Amino acid sequence: MSDTTPTDPKFGFNNFAETWNGRLAMLGFVIGLATELLTGQGILSQIGLL
């Protein structure tokens, strides 16, 4: 059974928002790491800061 009900808020600090925040952070980290491996450049080099 889900921890959220239709009346639970979807914004702010709650389990729903924190779960998705963690999932998207992990996805962004993996994409950034894969991009570094494929291009041979770090993230700062790719956006022109280094």
Side-chain angles (χ1 to χ4, degrees), residues 21-35 43:
N21 185 33
R23 289 175 181 168
L24 292 175
M26 289 185 279
L27 184 63
F29 181 77
V30 169
I31 290 171
L33 186 62
T35 304
I43 292 174

Side-chain angles (χ1 to χ4, degrees), residues 3-48:
D3 290 338
T4 60
T5 61
T7 59
D8 286 344
K10 300 296 182 212
F11 300 101
F13 294 105
N14 58 46
N15 287 336
F16 180 82
E18 293 300 316
T19 299
W20 275 101
N21 185 33
R23 289 175 181 168
L24 292 175
M26 289 185 279
L27 184 63
F29 181 77
V30 169
I31 290 171
L33 186 62
T35 304
E36 283 192 29
L37 291 173
L38 291 173
T39 63
Q41 294 180 351
I43 292 174
L44 294 177
S45 296
Q46 291 177 15
I47 61 175

